[in-house]
Amino acid sequence: MISNILEKLKTGNITPEEYVEKTFERIKKVEEKVNAFVTLRNKEEVIKEVEEKVKSGGRLAGSLIAIKDAISTKGIRTTCSSLMLSDYVPPYDATVIEKLKKEGAVIIGKTNMDEFAMGSTTETSYFGPTRNPWDIDRTPGGSSGGSAAALAAGYVELALGSDTGGSIRAPAAFTATFGLKPSYGTVSRYGLIAYANSLEQIGPMAKNAEDLGILYSIISGEDWRDATTIKFSLEKEPYEIPVKGLRIGVLSDIMEMSDKVVKGSIENMINKFSSEGATIDYTKLGYAEYALPAYYIIAMSEASSNLARYDGVRYGFSKYNQGSWVEVYSKNRGEGFGKEVKRRILLGSFILSAGYYEQFYIRALKVRRLIKSNLDQLFSKYDVLLSPTMPILPPRLGEVINDPVKMYAMDINTVIANLSAIPALSMPAGFYNNLPIGVQMMGRYLSDSLLIGISIYMEKVTNLYDLTAPT
Ligand code: GLN
């Protein structure tokens, strides 16, 4: 828990040097297997910064944090795990980074991810896959797999990820950690390298719900540099909320689409909620089978437009500069982007082309609207909607990466919250054969604090928090 480290640093129980040394030792021991970082900062620099921050204070004075490599960090290389940006050093900080620094947090490094956040396993990274600290042969989920692995491997207590269709929650579920996809507009996207703007949010990742809450309360808030942020600030840090009297709807159409062992673990969790006094009802989302295609149509369309800027002239990888502009552009993009990213640019451009726009894109927007209105109705009856975070156990490396449709199908439960702007939190529900299983709670728009508060209560009931993989 970060409060323990903060207390020790404050009282001198541990010196900044000891804290950083211990962290780097742990990294040295397992990072070769895990590959959570794309860029790890220089140890001496980090020690110096922790020393300074402990003195200057703040709510995270001197705490180390791992940052997904899609979030811009001034003076620290930010690659989005792509060859296209492999030598890009941002001249500015993302808003969330500014806020963290103001509270005394110290970035230890930038974490591995799927290239441009496109994927669910952290295998599409140009820098090689990240492996799950709970089982080195398996994926930690993605795309924020490096951040989740850094937590589960015991490197750090705090991390940031981004979530366009599940990229915070999938890795949280697969690594027995906590992750929140915040309500759309509550966390600034300024400085986040864009994949699909209408869907994504930066969000907190941690090993327990209290730390998740502290991080969320720091990074959220209106930002004039991101016009999609809303007038919002947390009145106080999220606090524990007992579940007695809470009305929970279990999404049975989504449960049905999950593996038996996953379902079993979620049922176990439902019983725990029930014995703590929550009322449980089985209900349906409706249109569940259309959520995934709608998500991928919208995400790919937005991606094809966002990624047009990497032309090898103004931005990004520019190995080729001879010949016509079209040639230079095609060659740089052809080599600078990986296979999955190119697939999405091609599909996205196709979807948005004349004739197909109405057939695919407009239809997907209609599905998005229908899902949103179903959810509005459900939230008039329930405070929280419960489901597995992921329908399957963490796949083995290579198992889904060569079958894109199989990989996309993993996101069935998570994309719903992105399509409808609502908050969704994943917390550990249990293990099967030492493999973590996560439960997802979705709440009304702006009920992020409620979700965090419930998980602060429930983590004590399950005793599944502050877990480190025995790697
Ligand atoms: N797996 C989903 C995708 O590839 C979600 C990724 C994300 O949330 N960034 O689009």
Side-chain angles (χ1 to χ4, degrees):
M1 214 175 269
I2 201 62
S3 54
N4 291 340
I5 293 177
L6 286 170
E7 185 60 29
K8 280 188 196 157
L9 283 171
K10 209 168 130 195
T11 55
N13 220 319
I14 183 173
T15 66
E17 193 175 345
E18 283 163 354
Y19 171 42
V20 177
E21 282 289 353
K22 216 174 113 203
T23 306
F24 272 78
E25 244 166 59
R26 176 79 190 146
I27 295 172
K28 203 170 152 205
K29 190 165 161 232
V30 283
E31 178 64 357
E32 207 177 301
K33 287 188 269 179
V34 174
N35 193 29
F37 286 107
V38 171
T39 303
L40 184 64
R41 287 183 65 203
N42 170 286
K43 191 169 70 184
E44 271 63 46
E45 246 175 67
V46 175
I47 294 176
K48 220 174 105 214
E49 213 173 301
V50 172
E51 278 167 353
E52 283 164 18
K53 297 286 185 158
V54 169
K55 277 190 208 128
S56 55
R59 287 159 73 197
L60 293 177
S63 336
L64 298 173
I65 185 165
I67 306 288
K68 184 177 187 179
D69 215 15
I71 301 170
S72 303
T73 43
K74 187 175 175 177
I76 306 175
R77 182 170 80 129
T78 300
T79 69
C80 241
S81 283
S82 179
L83 172 60
M84 189 53 93
L85 289 176
S86 53
D87 58 5
Y88 171 59
V89 179
Y92 69 101
D93 274 328
T95 298
V96 292
I97 300 296
E98 262 180 14
K99 287 179 177 236
L100 285 168
K101 283 186 174 171
K102 222 184 253 163
E103 292 296 345
V106 176
I107 299 168
I108 182 164
K110 304 297 295 287
T111 57
N112 201 12
M113 53 185 280
D114 282 294
E115 186 180 4
F116 282 99
M118 298 175 185
S120 314
T121 61
T122 318
E123 286 170 291
T124 70
S125 168
Y126 172 68
F127 301 98
T130 296
R131 289 164 180 269
N132 193 328
W134 292 96
D135 180 345
I136 281 311
D137 294 330
R138 293 181 189 258
T139 145
S143 63
S144 316
S147 288
L151 295 170
Y155 301 167
V156 284
E157 303 293 312
L158 307 170
L160 286 190
S162 68
D163 190 311
T164 313
S167 277
I168 286 177
R169 291 160 287 157
F174 285 167
T175 59
T177 57
F178 293 69
L180 172 75
K181 194 293 279 181
S183 294
Y184 190 83
T186 62
V187 179
S188 170
R189 284 181 298 108
Y190 177 76
L192 171 69
I193 296 175
Y195 161 18
N197 317 44
S198 83
L199 299 160
E200 64 205 2
Q201 285 284 280
I202 293 173
M205 301 174 79
K207 295 169 81 167
N208 61 68
E210 283 88 348
D211 290 355
L212 198 73
I214 294 171
L215 266 184
Y216 180 60
S217 66
I218 291 173
I219 62 171
S220 56
E222 192 184 12
D223 180 14
W224 65 272
R225 291 173 297 190
D226 174 0
T228 63
T229 55
I230 56 162
K231 246 193 168 41
F232 168 86
S233 72
L234 283 182
E235 272 152 29
K236 41 177 131 142
E237 226 161 78
Y239 48 87
E240 181 170 328
I241 299 176
V243 302
K244 191 163 190 298
L246 196 76
R247 296 165 305 168
I248 295 183
V250 178
L251 296 175
S252 48
D253 45 352
I254 296 222
M255 282 283 269
E256 283 323 307
M257 292 190 261
S258 309
D259 275 7
K260 226 163 105 199
V261 291
V262 173
K263 229 161 66 184
S265 180
I266 303 304
E267 265 150 17
N268 193 8
M269 194 73 187
I270 294 169
N271 290 337
K272 290 200 168 124
F273 270 104
S274 167
S275 41
E276 292 301 313
T279 59
I280 311 282
D281 234 0
Y282 282 79
T283 183
K284 279 195 167 105
L285 172 71
Y287 305 109
E289 66 274 37
Y290 301 117
L292 201 61
Y295 165 78
Y296 272 97
I297 287 170
I298 294 168
M300 288 179 187
S301 303
E302 293 186 22
S304 70
S305 150
N306 273 324
L307 271 58
R309 72 185 63 151
Y310 304 103
D311 53 9
V313 180
R314 291 168 305 166
Y315 276 106
F317 177 79
S318 56
K319 181 165 148 194
Y320 303 99
N321 48 27
Q322 298 296 318
S324 73
W325 184 79
V326 173
E327 252 176 276
V328 169
Y329 182 88
S330 318
K331 277 190 181 156
N332 282 322
R333 282 168 71 83
E335 200 171 313
F337 288 133
K339 201 165 148 193
E340 183 60 31
V341 173
K342 281 189 274 194
R343 177 182 294 127
R344 295 188 189 203
I345 293 173
L346 288 173
L347 286 169
S349 312
F350 175 77
I351 291 162
L352 293 179
S353 59
Y356 295 108
Y357 181 82
E358 288 76 13
Q359 201 177 327
F360 295 117
Y361 186 67
I362 298 293
R363 267 200 194 165
L365 292 186
K366 287 181 182 161
V367 170
R368 186 175 193 174
R369 181 75 242 167
L370 287 172
I371 291 173
K372 175 93 182 77
S373 38
N374 273 12
L375 282 166
D376 286 345
Q377 276 184 10
L378 287 172
F379 283 125
S380 68
K381 282 191 268 176
Y382 305 110
D383 303 307
V384 167
L385 296 174
L386 214 74
S387 70
T389 308
M390 299 307 282
I392 54 173
L393 292 168
R396 290 206 159 72
L397 258 74
E399 200 176 318
V400 295
I401 188 73
N402 296 318
D403 185 348
V405 176
K406 204 166 160 191
M407 186 175 79
Y408 301 164
M410 288 166 65
D411 303 331
I412 179 90
N413 309 352
T414 49
V415 297
I416 299 158
N418 305 79
L419 285 170
S420 50
I422 59 173
L425 185 151
S426 179
M427 70 182 284
F431 286 83
Y432 179 78
N433 277 348
N434 284 327
L435 297 174
I437 295 170
V439 59
Q440 172 176 252
M441 292 190 277
M442 293 192 283
R444 283 183 204 102
Y445 185 59
L446 297 186
S447 69
D448 309 63
S449 286
L450 173 73
L451 298 184
I452 296 169
I454 295 169
S455 47
I456 294 178
Y457 181 85
M458 285 308 288
E459 69 182 2
K460 291 175 190 138
V461 174
T462 57
N463 204 22
L464 294 172
Y465 62 101
D466 285 344
L467 303 173
T468 299
T471 312

